């Protein structure tokens, strides 16, 4: 175990573009009796990460800091090794490989060499034979997908549309929908259509064309991870009693969907996904049994975190950007 009192970390002390992310030396945390100290081997840059860095949407600043970020070290997902355990910890031991979420309720902090977490946090032992970089990319998309798949109550034979299926959340929704036996139509940019086919999509559609507008199919469930198409279009594509799941939505889209839901014209699921230890265990089981796999666009070093944010924010990626933190 490292005995230094300082560690390398990325800090964000102001809202803004990727350039506000800076490498720094920060105090190394020490575990309380009910905590473990994890040496972080890898993290990932998520959509939530860049939005929090940019302070978007503005309303989120009520929770994350009005004028500057409340949490100095960003990063909400991780994979690493337990290097110390508090005196009351029984679930983990030194040397265990773990992965999971350390987002809002745990103060973020995955863009660093070390992180302390309570034993009952939203993390668990890593899937067998999986690399740290692969494992770090699973929790954000996987936990979000599990939450909304459960809300949608997917059944075998359901017809499902996933808009924006090549991103971190979208590719997990696709894999989990196929696990439940759904017939899946997935949309992405033209260059990512082969990926959707490899992940098991029954039909893959270029969302930059007129695929959605010209589509006359109707679906039991529509998942929108991109927040781009008008709700009126989705309404036409939903079967009576169908459910619209808005994983990402702007205010106009959300208000339109809420109005349709209030008048009983659609069922609606939206909001933040609930992250739990049980969901982490379920995600691990699906990975171990081969039903879901990591989709990694590229692996970048912690020193290139700003560029990783630019790539993620641009949307010009397939799956996730993994960040190698320590060897």
């Amino acid at each position: 175990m490292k005995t230094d009192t300082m560690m390398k970390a990325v800090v964000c002390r102001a809202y803004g573009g990727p350039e506000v992310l800076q490498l720094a030396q920060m105090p190394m945390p020490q575990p309380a009796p009910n905590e473990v100290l994890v040496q972080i081997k890898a993290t990932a840059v998520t959509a939530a990460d860049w939005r929090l860095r940019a302070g978007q949407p503005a309303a989120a600043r009520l929770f994350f800091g009005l004028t500057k970020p409340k949490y100095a070290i960003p990063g909400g997902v991780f994979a690493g090794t337990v290097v110390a355990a508090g005196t009351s910890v029984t679930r983990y031991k030194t040397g265990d490989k773990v992965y999971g979420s350390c987002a809002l309720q745990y103060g973020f902090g995955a863009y660093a060499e070390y992180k302390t977490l309570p034993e009952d946090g939203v993390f668990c032992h890593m899937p067998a034979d999986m690399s740290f970089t692969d494992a770090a990319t699973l929790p954000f998309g996987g936990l979000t997908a599990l939450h909304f798949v459960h809300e949608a109550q997917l059944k075998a034979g359901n017809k499902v549309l996933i808009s924006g299926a090549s991103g971190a959340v979208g590719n997990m929704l696709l894999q989990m929908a196929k696990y439940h036996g759904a017939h899946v139509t997935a949309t992405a940019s033209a260059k990512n259509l082969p990926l959707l086919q490899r992940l098991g999509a029954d039909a893959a559609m270029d969302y930059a064309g007129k695929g959605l507008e010209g589509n006359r199919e109707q679906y039991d469930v529509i998942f929108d991870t991109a927040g781009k198409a008008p709700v009126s279009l989705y309404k036409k594509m939903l079967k009576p009693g169908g459910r619209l799941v808005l994983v990402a939505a702007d205010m106009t889209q959300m208000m339109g969907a809420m109005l349709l839901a209030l008048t009983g014209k659609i069922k609606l699921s939206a909001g933040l996904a609930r992250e739990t230890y049980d969901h982490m265990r379920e995600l691990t089981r699906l990975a171990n049994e081969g039903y879901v796999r990591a989709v990694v666009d590229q692996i970048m070093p912690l020193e290139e975190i700003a560029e990783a944010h630019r790539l993620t924010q641009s949307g010009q990626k397939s799956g996730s950007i993994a960040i190698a933190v320590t060897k």
Side-chain angles (χ1 to χ4, degrees):
M1 175 183 165
K2 187 176 179 178
T3 57
D4 297 345
T5 59
M6 303 296 286
M7 66 176 180
K8 181 171 64 178
V10 171
V11 297
C12 181
R13 295 191 172 95
Y15 291 122
E19 68 279 357
V20 301
L21 300 171
Q22 301 292 325
L23 276 174
Q25 290 291 310
M26 296 291 285
M28 182 175 166
Q30 298 299 320
N34 69 326
E35 292 181 332
V36 296
L37 177 66
V38 177
Q39 183 184 39
I40 295 179
K41 300 292 188 178
T43 183
V45 178
T46 70
D49 288 345
W50 76 254
R51 288 191 176 100
L52 290 176
R53 182 215 75 228
Q56 297 177 7
R61 299 190 186 196
L62 295 173
F63 305 96
F64 300 109
L66 288 176
T67 60
K68 64 179 182 178
K70 181 179 179 181
Y71 304 99
I73 303 175
V77 293
F78 71 94
T81 303
V82 175
V83 293
T87 55
S88 66
V89 172
T90 59
R91 183 177 290 172
Y92 305 102
K93 65 182 185 302
T94 300
D96 284 351
K97 295 180 179 180
V98 295
Y99 78 126
S101 172
C102 58
L104 179 59
Q105 58 184 321
Y106 307 113
F108 299 92
Y111 291 1
E113 292 181 300
Y114 293 89
K115 172 70 179 173
T116 54
L117 290 158
E119 177 183 25
D120 61 355
V122 184
F123 68 101
C124 67
H125 293 92
M126 277 174 44
D129 303 319
M130 181 172 283
S131 69
F132 287 111
T133 47
D134 277 3
T137 67
L138 287 180
F140 175 70
L143 292 175
T144 302
L146 275 173
H147 172 87
F148 287 114
V149 163
H150 288 171
E151 282 212 350
Q153 301 177 351
L154 286 187
K155 300 178 180 65
N158 279 166
K159 291 188 67 176
V160 172
L161 172 69
I162 303 172
S163 180
S166 64
V169 177
N171 82 73
M172 281 289 152
L173 284 169
L174 169 51
Q175 294 179 77
M176 291 180 190
K178 292 306 299 178
Y179 166 72
H180 284 281
H183 181 282
V184 179
T185 298
T187 77
S189 62
K191 72 181 182 69
N192 286 324
L193 297 185
L195 169 65
L196 305 189
Q197 293 164 343
R198 291 196 300 272
L199 293 176
D202 299 284
M205 188 183 301
D206 181 1
Y207 61 51
K210 296 184 178 180
L212 281 181
E213 289 82 352
N215 188 2
R216 296 294 181 263
E217 297 290 330
Q218 287 198 306
Y219 301 93
D220 298 288
V221 182
I222 296 176
F223 295 96
D224 184 356
T225 74
K228 294 180 179 179
V231 172
S232 58
L233 176 61
Y234 288 142
K235 178 180 175 295
K236 295 177 183 178
M237 300 170 70
L238 277 172
K239 293 181 180 179
R243 181 177 294 274
L244 175 60
V245 180
L246 295 180
V247 180
D250 61 22
M251 188 59 67
T252 300
Q253 193 183 39
M254 183 64 75
M255 293 301 292
M258 290 176 65
L259 180 60
L260 288 173
L262 287 172
T263 55
K265 295 179 180 178
I266 65 168
K267 295 177 181 177
L268 175 65
S269 294
L272 295 176
R274 184 166 174 259
E275 298 183 340
T276 69
Y277 171 73
D278 287 341
H279 279 175
M280 278 300 307
R281 291 288 301 275
E282 185 176 357
L283 180 61
T284 304
R285 177 185 66 80
L286 291 172
N288 278 330
E289 295 177 3
Y291 293 112
V292 300
R293 64 181 177 89
V295 179
V296 180
D297 184 280
Q298 60 182 295
I299 302 168
M300 304 177 72
L302 189 64
E303 289 76 10
E304 295 180 18
I305 194 72
E307 179 60 23
H309 267 244
R310 289 188 186 95
L311 285 171
T312 302
Q313 189 169 350
S314 73
Q316 301 303 308
K317 63 180 183 62
S318 303
S320 301
I321 303 291
I323 303 296
V325 180
T326 59
K327 295 182 179 179

